[in-house]
Amino acid sequence: MTVRVGVEEEFHVLDAENGRLVPGAGAVLGRLPGPEFKAELQRSAVEWNSPVHSALDSLHTDLSGARRRLDEAATGLGLAVVAAGTVPFARVTPGDATPDFRYRALVDEYRKVADEQLVCSAQVHVDVPDRDTAVRIMCAVSPWLPPLLALSASSPFWLGSDTGYASWRTMLWQRWPTAGPVGCFGGAAEYDAAVEDLIRSGVIKDPGMVYYDLRPSEHQRTLELRICDACPRVETVVLIAGLFRALVEDARAGLERPGAGCDGRHEWLRAAVWRAAQAGLEGTLVDPVTRAATPAPEVVHTMVRRLRPALEALGDWDTVRTLTEEALARGSAAHRLRQVAEREGLLACVKAAVADTRGDHGQGTGPGAVRRPVAAAGGAGPAGTSAAYSVESIGG
């Protein structure tokens, strides 16, 4: 089975010495030829778009290579890059938007919401047969998005202080009028009609301003995951990509089962997203099945067990199982960054995030087991994928 996956990652641009967010994206992009890196709304962020991949190990290689190229470009300018939802030393400076007509229009319309859009996310695209299928499976996928947010949570700090949240990016992001959980739609025509209603209302200008946690792509035959923080470690991105691909494939297969369908009761999802943003992996989440408060590791394990048939069919089971256990043992990036900040201060926290983004895990966020992808010895999975992981003990 071949179901392709691609990733869009956003990175903060910082002063390498003091860790402060700076409008240096243009200078960094000037040292990066080709279209894969591009500007974002704020001049302090850079976005990278991956090619599509059938195998998680090749996605990992591509992500790691892109981060190395970005790091080299920034380092040559006395800058650094961080993949995280927010950075501790952000500073809101009106007028720092990228000089692009679309971005300027966003700033003029949304004012402080746009000015404070100093956040970065990781977005995942997964192949779907057609747009109608993408819309129809959103109902089945949506309840499992909060655990993916908890896995990615990396933004506990904002404007120099601890917010008490694992993903403060989520709280900032949800201020946009179309952000948050997507509703239930019977198909593409119904979804597109709802988007047209939003445009006609004047709240948004075009379909590109639909910022739901999950949406069908406007330009590709993909379903797009948009709920996650940018992740300091590449392995976290790979894990989320593998889980999301399995969720999409499991939901697509579910359309063929008798009695498949959604009960339309998604009013609890916004609360579940809030809980994931507040708790990360260290607290309780809303269980998508029972809708009861449940320890985050238990919810994640339930999701992985539920997805095992799809993961095995995609050739991802061993990789996802290993990365899941590593993620739960290590804890969320938000938790690890807090630990560094408590021991050594916020600047050390920034440097740890820079090191993790670069891949220097030995200089990163403390002791623990780090699993790094290596070429599989032997055959490939059913989709032609091959990924094995070795365990390297660092500092413990």
Side-chain angles (χ1 to χ4, degrees):
M1 179 191 301
T2 301
V3 180
R4 300 179 306 167
V5 62
V7 169
E8 298 174 19
E9 285 198 290
E10 296 167 353
F11 301 86
H12 299 281
V13 180
L14 314 176
D15 183 295
E17 289 299 317
N18 61 30
R20 296 189 179 279
L21 203 61
V22 294
V28 174
L29 289 170
R31 299 169 64 94
L32 291 163
E36 59 182 314
F37 292 98
K38 64 179 187 179
E40 261 294 334
L41 168 61
Q42 296 289 349
R43 292 190 294 144
S44 55
V46 173
E47 180 179 281
W48 174 72
N49 297 303
S50 85
V52 294
H53 292 269
S54 297
L56 294 183
D57 57 346
S58 65
L59 175 63
H60 182 283
T61 299
D62 208 6
L63 289 165
S64 299
R67 289 180 177 215
R68 283 194 298 272
R69 295 193 299 277
L70 182 57
D71 178 74
E72 289 168 2
T75 300
L77 296 165
L79 303 173
V81 291
V82 166
T86 62
V87 290
F89 298 130
R91 183 177 62 180
V92 179
T93 308
D96 260 0
T98 297
D100 169 89
F101 174 79
R102 180 179 177 81
Y103 292 146
R104 292 296 188 190
L106 283 174
V107 171
D108 290 344
E109 177 74 11
Y110 298 100
R111 305 297 296 273
K112 196 171 185 66
V113 170
D115 291 340
E116 293 187 353
Q117 186 65 12
L118 305 173
V119 302
C120 288
S121 65
Q123 297 148 33
V124 182
H125 288 260
V126 170
D127 276 347
V128 289
D130 51 65
R131 186 175 177 82
D132 200 57
T133 300
V135 171
R136 291 175 64 206
I137 67 178
M138 289 195 301
C139 277
V141 174
S142 290
W144 296 96
L145 300 189
L148 299 185
L149 169 59
L151 284 165
S152 75
S154 63
S155 48
F157 301 108
W158 176 245
L159 305 183
S161 65
D162 191 323
T163 65
Y165 284 75
S167 174
W168 188 246
R169 179 204 65 88
T170 297
M171 309 314 295
L172 294 169
W173 179 252
Q174 287 191 342
R175 299 182 301 179
W176 292 94
T178 58
V182 65
C184 296
F185 301 94
E190 189 176 321
Y191 174 86
D192 291 340
V195 172
E196 285 301 317
D197 284 345
L198 286 168
I199 295 171
R200 191 161 49 249
S201 75
V203 173
I204 62 174
K205 304 297 185 187
D206 56 58
M209 293 176 64
V210 173
Y211 299 145
Y212 295 137
D213 296 335
L214 186 67
R215 71 180 184 186
S217 172
E218 284 297 308
H219 309 295
Q220 307 170 65
R221 288 194 308 177
T222 64
L223 188 61
E224 182 184 0
L225 174 73
R226 300 178 56 82
I227 198 172
C228 293
D229 281 9
C231 305
R233 294 171 62 100
V234 166
E235 290 82 4
T236 310
V237 183
V238 173
L239 171 59
I240 290 168
L243 287 169
F244 181 58
R245 175 160 68 169
L247 282 166
V248 171
E249 182 55 25
D250 179 67
R252 187 203 60 77
L255 294 178
E256 303 169 3
R257 292 192 287 266
C262 177
D263 62 9
R265 295 188 57 199
H266 279 190
E267 65 276 1
W268 59 279
L269 263 179
R270 188 172 183 86
V273 171
W274 177 87
R275 175 55 75 192
Q278 193 270 337
L281 294 175
E282 285 64 48
T284 61
L285 302 179
V286 179
D287 186 286
V289 178
T290 67
R291 300 183 188 174
T294 306
E298 185 176 330
V299 174
V300 172
H301 278 134
T302 296
M303 175 172 59
V304 173
R305 286 194 299 268
R306 180 177 179 272
L307 293 175
R308 181 168 184 169
L311 289 166
E312 288 180 338
L314 291 161
D316 294 342
W317 168 247
D318 288 339
T319 299
V320 167
R321 178 181 59 181
T322 301
L323 289 179
T324 298
E325 294 308 319
E326 179 200 15
L328 295 176
R330 194 175 57 241
S332 68
H335 175 68
R336 301 193 312 275
L337 293 172
R338 273 197 177 103
Q339 288 182 316
V340 174
E342 288 171 3
R343 291 194 309 264
E344 306 171 52
L346 283 179
L347 183 56
C349 167
V350 173
K351 292 184 180 298
V354 170
D356 265 356
T357 301
R358 185 185 297 127
D360 297 342
H361 299 325
Q363 302 173 34
T365 52
V370 176
R371 295 167 174 87
R372 294 196 175 105
V374 296
T385 62
S386 59
Y389 284 78
S390 61
V391 180
E392 182 177 350
S393 179
I394 296 179

